[in-house]
Amino acid sequence: MAITRRDFLNGMAIAVAAGLTPLDVVRAAKSGNEFIHGEYYPPSLTGLRGNHPGSFEMAHALGREHEKFDFNTLPLEEEYDLVVVGGGISGLSAACFWREKYGDNSKILILDNHDDFGGHAKRNEFKAGGKTLIGYGGSEAFQSPAHNFSPEVKQLMSRLGISVTRLKSSFDVNFYPDQQLSRGVFFDKKNFGVTKIVSGDPGRAVSDDIPPDRLNGRDIKDFINDFPLSETDRLALIALHTQPEDYLAGMSVKEKSDWLDTHSYSEFLASKVGLSKMAVLYFQQRSNDFFAIGIEGISGSDARACALPGFDALGLPPLDGETLADLEEPYVYHFPDGNAGLARLMVRHLIPDALPGTTMEDSVLARLDYARLDRPENAARLRLNSIAINAQNTPDGVVVTYIKGGKLHRVRSQAAIMAGYNMMIPWLVPEMPDAQKADLRLNVKAPLVYTNVAIKNWHAFKTLGVHEFYSPAAPYSRVKLDYPVSIGGYQHPQNPDQPMVIHMVYVPTYPGSKMTAREQFRDGRAYLLGSTFEAHEKMVRDQLQEMFATTGFDHARDITAITVNRWAHGYAYYPSSLFDDMEKIPDIINRARQPVGRIAIANSDADWSAYAHAAIDQAWRAVNELTGRG
């Protein structure tokens, strides 16, 4: 099922409390402001963001009930050439590609259920110490553009004025190394019996922004010997890192590859390397940020692709080009607001009056005027707080029904592109063949939380000698100082006296549960959607206080704001040989994204790949499927 019973109940809670049916909720919904005024500025909002309250409840409620409503009784209000459902990177890209084919006067409407555009590319702003701090609340950077960017992606970037070369030069890769800071590990008292910070991690990381010769890492033996583990466990971890063995001895190269494809990294460490439960626990959340699941949910092959230890002496074939690019190409193609910078430049391209300026650099500090996004005189219009609930082919094109301001609205277009979460499309396009609906529902997105915390200064990090922490077992597996990017007049904090944004990553996982990735993702989604900001805030404050207590840090005094970017539907599902028949995946992906009449399907979900370049490529494909049909 694409929406679990618990998900549905979470979305329906308010309706039940009020004694309403889902259709009553449709009629009474307050999904957003009918009009956006000049003071409307979502990036400055703190608290619970991402899948914020009001953006998802209606979709869940309608999941079981929408077919009972006759949308044809509603009047048609507007006519467009294209309607795009979803104002994220893929939806905005689709609008740009459509305009390229049909000209600037082509009428386009983009609908988005959130109060801001960008999808997972979300901009967070803070005021601290008289300074504006910019953070990224989701999609954070371009992944290996030299290897991954298609000609279409490169052409779009060029039209938008984005230079990956200038982005790279704006990222000071030596800033934290020059501050004599390293990566470190936070061992929490609950799981390890003592609170301990161990600095000087010498390990290599996938998608690394620090040059390998500037890690400020210690000798691996000294580093591990500081762990609050038994001597036996420390010696075992040191041996794993410094004395690689063929842990799959007796197997052929093919048998080794097959074994690693079908067994988790957790099982590899326990059954083949022979680590104890506590030693394995050290690695438990190493994969959380990259895969949004713990090491019991990634294969040994995927662990190898993340530069995790244990594979050097197995005699395996070289890694493929894309994997090597992720390991070797620096992760430095980053706007201060992550890929929200890309989304803002696409909005400028479509609606120039909304964002002042003409260059990539001057867009960074420019204030976007949300009141200009949905004006009648615009050829392209971006309508926020608008929840699409139905799209259907008609003899005259496609009719899309959505909710805004507590009212149902209906528009018609020549064609439509579904650029939101793919698992929601079966509910929005009921005429779709059942087999295709089943394929779409296999892409169960991985939930995660990106929390940004504005602090008055970062002396605590400086005192501990660490700019980024990994935690094996505490809720937030990654806690780091913001990327050191200075561009377009925006200056990254230069010394520990200045305010700073801490970026934190939390992934709800279920180690030891024996659940598949999809089962974990569904349960994690339900948990996130049922959690309050207060619960998240307590989690943040408790962890930071424990981490920095020895430095004089006081969360009540030193934290100035918290923004919790909740992505209950986070990363697109990543196919895994642990849970999927990999030979069938290409056909499933292709069948799932087939157009239904004049309705095409985009989003990174359509490629089962959680990257900005995949979202753009899928938008290009969707537009060409429509335009190629006449």
Side-chain angles (χ1 to χ4, degrees):
M1 295 174 63
I3 297 177
T4 68
R5 175 174 174 79
R6 196 188 318 178
D7 269 336
F8 179 69
L9 292 175
N10 282 337
M12 286 297 297
I14 191 170
V16 172
L20 302 176
T21 69
L23 290 180
D24 291 327
V25 180
V26 169
R27 299 183 182 102
K30 298 297 180 185
S31 59
N33 297 325
E34 188 70 30
F35 300 102
I36 290 178
H37 52 74
E39 298 303 313
Y40 183 97
Y41 195 67
S44 66
L45 297 175
T46 57
L48 201 55
R49 303 293 297 146
N51 296 135
H52 59 78
S55 66
F56 64 91
E57 295 89 347
M58 195 57 53
H60 288 192
L62 287 168
R64 303 295 194 274
E65 301 286 338
H66 75 288
E67 293 182 359
K68 297 179 181 179
F69 195 91
D70 183 5
F71 297 109
N72 292 315
T73 62
L74 299 170
L76 286 169
E77 299 175 353
E78 297 170 324
E79 297 271 355
Y80 292 92
D81 299 308
L82 175 71
V83 170
V84 180
V85 176
I89 289 174
S90 201
L92 293 170
S93 299
C96 291
F97 289 137
W98 184 276
R99 171 174 279 188
E100 179 187 356
K101 286 185 172 291
Y102 289 106
D104 292 350
N105 293 325
S106 183
K107 294 187 64 178
I108 302 170
L109 175 65
I110 305 166
L111 299 170
D112 198 274
N113 57 312
H114 294 92
D115 60 13
D116 201 356
F117 61 84
H120 292 162
K122 202 65 66 184
R123 179 180 175 107
N124 294 163
E125 291 186 17
F126 304 92
K127 296 290 185 182
K131 178 181 174 62
T132 296
L133 299 176
I134 301 174
Y136 59 99
S139 180
E140 61 186 35
F142 300 143
Q143 182 76 45
S144 310
H147 185 274
N148 291 334
F149 278 17
S150 66
E152 293 75 27
V153 173
K154 292 177 181 177
Q155 289 169 11
L156 178 60
M157 294 292 174
S158 178
R159 284 195 297 275
L160 298 175
I162 295 175
S163 165
V164 294
T165 301
R166 298 204 305 276
L167 281 177
K168 184 177 182 179
S169 67
S170 300
F171 194 118
D172 186 354
V173 296
N174 292 308
F175 179 77
Y176 292 125
D178 287 347
Q179 292 275 336
Q180 303 306 309
L181 303 181
S182 67
R183 291 197 177 97
V185 182
F186 164 55
F187 295 94
D188 65 302
K189 185 175 182 178
K190 176 182 177 181
N191 291 284
F192 293 92
V194 63
T195 299
K196 190 164 188 181
I197 301 293
V198 180
S199 63
D201 187 343
R204 189 182 185 190
V206 66
S207 300
D208 206 340
D209 57 293
I210 303 294
D213 61 346
R214 297 301 317 276
L215 293 174
N216 291 333
R218 295 190 283 157
D219 178 82
I220 188 68
K221 295 179 182 179
D222 294 336
F223 175 66
I224 292 176
N225 270 325
D226 273 351
F227 289 5
L229 299 175
S230 70
E231 181 180 9
T232 300
D233 286 340
R234 296 198 308 271
L235 289 174
L237 288 174
I238 290 171
L240 174 64
H241 285 86
T242 63
Q243 301 169 26
E245 299 178 18
D246 185 352
Y247 300 108
L248 301 179
M251 299 184 188
S252 68
V253 171
K254 183 180 185 306
E255 288 171 336
K256 290 177 180 179
S257 296
D258 290 344
W259 194 96
L260 292 173
D261 282 345
T262 53
H263 294 77
S264 72
Y265 186 54
S266 179
E267 185 174 353
F268 172 74
L269 293 175
S271 68
K272 298 301 183 181
V273 179
L275 296 184
S276 73
K277 289 184 178 180
M278 288 303 294
V280 171
L281 182 60
Y282 167 67
F283 295 101
Q284 177 58 46
Q285 299 194 131
R286 280 288 184 187
S287 55
N288 278 22
D289 192 26
F290 198 71
F291 288 106
I293 199 168
I295 58 171
E296 78 290 335
I298 66 167
S299 68
S301 299
D302 285 335
R304 181 186 177 218
C306 286
L308 291 171
F311 308 101
D312 290 348
L314 270 60
L316 298 170
L319 296 170
D320 63 82
E322 182 175 348
T323 300
L324 280 174
D326 289 348
L327 280 173
E328 297 177 355
E329 192 169 344
Y331 194 64
V332 294
Y333 307 98
H334 176 85
F335 287 95
D337 55 359
N339 287 333
L342 165 63
R344 283 159 53 90
L345 285 168
M346 285 195 281
V347 169
R348 175 193 275 175
H349 181 70
L350 294 166
I351 311 169
D353 289 346
L355 186 66
T358 58
T359 69
M360 176 182 81
E361 286 80 2
D362 67 24
S363 72
V364 173
L365 289 178
R367 182 182 173 92
L368 193 136
D369 186 351
Y370 284 79
R372 295 180 180 270
L373 296 180
D374 191 17
R375 292 187 170 180
E377 62 268 25
N378 295 351
R381 301 176 69 172
L382 175 52
R383 191 164 294 165
L384 301 173
N385 301 303
S386 301
I387 303 175
I389 58 174
N390 182 266
Q392 63 185 71
N393 286 284
T394 70
D396 300 320
V398 178
V399 175
V400 176
T401 306
Y402 66 95
I403 305 170
K404 181 177 174 63
K407 299 177 182 178
L408 286 166
H409 302 271
R410 225 163 165 244
V411 297
R412 181 166 57 202
S413 61
Q414 295 178 16
I417 292 177
M418 301 289 108
Y421 305 150
N422 276 197
M423 63 188 304
M424 288 302 301
I425 295 175
W427 306 115
L428 303 182
V429 187
E431 67 187 273
M432 177 180 288
D434 288 342
Q436 186 176 2
K437 292 179 180 179
D439 288 333
L440 281 166
R441 287 171 178 149
L442 289 175
N443 195 299
V444 181
K445 295 172 79 73
L448 72 161
V449 175
Y450 278 2
T451 292
N452 286 321
V453 180
I455 53 175
K456 291 183 177 180
N457 61 71
W458 43 288
H459 285 294
F461 286 82
K462 182 70 172 178
T463 299
L464 296 173
V466 177
H467 65 87
E468 177 179 332
F469 293 88
Y470 159 68
S471 173
Y476 279 89
S477 58
R478 190 182 192 193
V479 178
K480 62 183 286 291
L481 295 174
D482 198 14
Y483 288 125
V485 175
S486 299
I487 183 173
Y490 182 74
Q491 182 68 53
H492 179 267
Q494 294 297 295
N495 65 72
D497 293 326
Q498 294 178 316
M500 173 72 87
V501 172
I502 304 175
H503 184 75
M504 305 175 65
V505 179
Y506 165 63
V507 179
T509 59
Y510 302 88
S513 66
K514 306 298 184 181
M515 291 192 292
T516 67
R518 288 184 179 86
E519 289 168 341
Q520 288 200 43
F521 295 162
R522 291 184 181 115
D523 272 24
R525 178 179 68 216
Y527 170 74
L528 288 186
L529 292 180
S531 299
T532 64
F533 171 72
E534 289 73 21
H536 286 283
E537 180 184 21
K538 185 178 188 307
M539 190 188 304
V540 169
R541 290 182 180 275
D542 287 351
Q543 182 165 338
L544 292 180
Q545 190 61 49
E546 183 181 355
M547 290 175 67
F548 299 130
T550 61
T551 70
F553 176 84
D554 181 349
H555 73 89
R557 177 194 66 213
D558 295 329
I559 293 176
T560 64
I562 298 174
T563 300
V564 176
N565 296 280
R566 172 179 64 180
W567 299 114
H569 300 265
Y571 292 160
Y573 183 82
Y574 176 81
S576 170
S577 51
L578 289 181
F579 312 112
D580 301 302
D581 185 337
M582 298 300 283
E583 292 184 357
K584 294 181 179 179
I585 293 300
D587 288 339
I588 292 171
I589 292 173
N590 186 58
R591 292 196 307 262
R593 65 192 183 195
Q594 290 301 303
V596 179
R598 297 291 299 170
I599 302 171
I601 296 172
N603 196 8
S604 66
D605 290 8
D607 196 35
W608 289 33
S609 173
Y611 292 121
H613 62 265
I616 296 170
D617 282 332
Q618 294 308 306
W620 170 258
R621 174 197 49 76
V623 167
N624 278 274
E625 284 175 345
L626 293 173
T627 58
R629 294 160 72 96

